[in-house]
Amino acid sequence: MKKYIVAVSGLTNEEEKRFIEFLQSKGLGWWHWITNFWLIADDGDDTNAEEMRTLLMNFVESKRGIVIDVPTHNIWAGF
């Protein structure tokens, strides 16, 4: 399993919708209860940080973002 942290400044509703559609098309799980911040899990190892970064760069303009690949032995929790 691969895990990622993704943060992007100020996505519009349309940009966020396209990102969710990408996540769904890849069968990825995600946690997104904090604005502009996502925790993503890939059970199939079908994605990588560069692919997510490139996709976001393709449909967001004048935004700043980061995609971080989290080692699989790390654990996260949210509330």
Side-chain angles (χ1 to χ4, degrees):
M1 172 185 286
K2 291 183 180 179
K3 297 178 185 177
Y4 304 96
I5 297 169
V6 176
V8 181
S9 66
L11 290 179
T12 66
N13 289 339
E14 182 60 32
E15 291 166 337
E16 187 170 298
K17 179 182 172 189
R18 283 186 277 179
F19 188 50
I20 290 170
E21 288 170 353
F22 164 76
L23 297 173
Q24 290 172 332
S25 74
K26 294 289 190 176
L28 303 174
W30 73 90
W31 182 90
H32 176 59
W33 291 354
I34 300 171
T35 304
N36 303 323
F37 184 84
W38 305 73
L39 300 177
I40 299 170
D42 179 2
D43 287 332
D45 291 337
D46 294 331
T47 60
N48 61 54
E50 292 82 8
E51 179 183 11
M52 279 193 247
R53 183 226 35 226
T54 300
L55 174 88
L56 285 165
M57 289 173 60
N58 285 335
F59 67 76
V60 299
E61 295 182 25
S62 302
K63 305 285 194 289
R64 294 183 179 164
I66 188 167
V67 178
I68 301 170
D69 188 343
V70 179
T72 57
H73 63 277
N74 286 351
I75 298 171
W76 58 36
F79 67 94

